[in-house]
Amino acid sequence: MAGSAFVFDVLNDAFARQPSPSREVVIATAVLALVAVLVRPLWQVMRNFVTIAHEGGHALAAVLSGRRLSGIRLHSDTSGLTLSRGKPTGLGMVATGLAGYITPSLLGLAAAAILGVGRLTVLLWILLVLLALMLIMIRNVYGVISIVVAGAIVFVVSWYASSQIQGAFAYAFAWFMLLGGVRAVFELQQSRFRRQAPNSDADQIARLTRVPAIIYVTFFVLVALGSLAFGVRLMLGPVHDLL
């Protein structure tokens, strides 16, 4: 009986609407996220979290399109690899390839939407579930360490931190995914321009569909910038409110 009451209290607290941080805190988290994205030494570390989202997107798209997920690998150079089995061509393969670069931005936008209705703890719990599901499919040591570290950070914040800290963390996460998603796409095109990424997602999809890779890069850019624009509106309000 006591155990049931404890679970009920935890769920009630998690799903209850929580007050959003002040406008100053939200802006401060945006600035911190922007610094993490623009300062190269910080970005080289923080990009691992964008890679986790990127490979998670590939994995989710593969499963939803009927492919069999074989495993996910995360590497110390912030690259990753998601392997799935199924037809080497077709819509499922294209959808799997398209999902990677748009997932960080869409995840950031979804986080902004959840924060907009005051469900801070729910967002953190969703992240924990997604990380746990991803951990099952990780196939290398560095990948396991990356997921466990990310999960531990989210768990500590969601379980032990005050609502104010949870709010600041959740907003920082949303901002970072939105901004990091933009930088990752522009890095992709920069690498392609220098001919350093002949097997990028965009180029692989181009070979499957016989549509120029730049079309897919443009799609990635539009999704990333569109998500950022909507995310700003959700978390800070209309542009005229900021002036």
Side-chain angles (χ1 to χ4, degrees):
M1 192 71 175
S4 299
F6 172 75
V7 172
F8 177 80
D9 289 341
V10 170
L11 292 176
N12 186 58
D13 290 342
F15 286 92
R17 183 181 177 88
Q18 297 163 289
S20 298
S22 66
R23 173 65 66 91
E24 291 75 17
V25 171
V26 175
I27 293 175
T29 59
V31 172
L32 288 174
L34 185 61
V35 170
V37 168
L38 293 181
V39 177
R40 181 173 292 275
L42 289 176
W43 173 243
Q44 289 174 340
V45 175
M46 297 298 291
R47 198 184 193 284
N48 283 284
F49 298 104
V50 173
T51 301
I52 290 173
H54 179 113
E55 298 304 327
H58 282 316
L60 180 61
V63 171
L64 292 179
S65 62
R67 299 182 62 80
R68 293 188 61 187
L69 189 61
S70 300
I72 303 169
R73 301 177 70 89
L74 303 172
H75 304 131
S76 59
D77 63 355
T78 71
S79 66
L81 178 65
T82 298
L83 298 175
S84 60
R85 288 177 288 179
K87 289 179 58 178
T89 59
L91 184 59
M93 195 68 181
V94 172
T96 301
L98 285 174
Y101 275 100
I102 65 175
T103 296
S105 294
L106 293 179
L107 181 59
L109 181 59
I114 295 173
L115 293 174
V117 295
R119 299 301 191 268
L120 308 181
T121 305
V122 169
L123 172 61
L124 299 178
W125 282 23
I126 290 173
L127 294 178
L128 279 175
V129 171
L130 293 175
L131 288 169
L133 292 174
M134 193 170 176
L135 180 61
I136 297 172
M137 299 307 301
I138 295 293
R139 295 294 182 264
N140 68 323
V141 174
Y142 184 83
V144 170
I145 293 173
S146 298
I147 297 295
V148 169
V149 168
I153 293 171
V154 176
F155 174 76
V156 168
V157 172
S158 65
W159 193 259
Y160 295 106
S162 65
S163 59
Q164 292 84 359
I165 293 177
Q166 286 185 12
F169 178 87
Y171 272 89
F173 168 82
W175 284 121
F176 177 74
M177 283 295 149
L178 289 168
L179 294 166
V182 173
R183 173 157 185 175
V185 172
F186 279 95
E187 284 184 341
L188 164 67
Q189 182 54 24
Q190 185 179 52
S191 296
R192 292 187 66 256
F193 181 78
R194 296 174 177 173
R195 302 185 183 279
Q196 296 174 336
N199 293 312
S200 71
D201 291 351
D203 290 283
Q204 292 184 50
I205 304 168
R207 288 192 286 269
L208 286 171
T209 61
R210 299 184 181 180
V211 174
I214 191 61
I215 299 298
Y216 296 111
V217 175
T218 301
F219 169 69
F220 296 156
V221 170
L222 291 176
V223 171
L225 293 179
S227 296
L228 177 59
F230 279 112
V232 169
R233 185 178 180 86
L234 285 169
M235 292 190 285
L236 289 177
V239 174
H240 61 74
D241 287 350
L242 306 179
L243 302 178

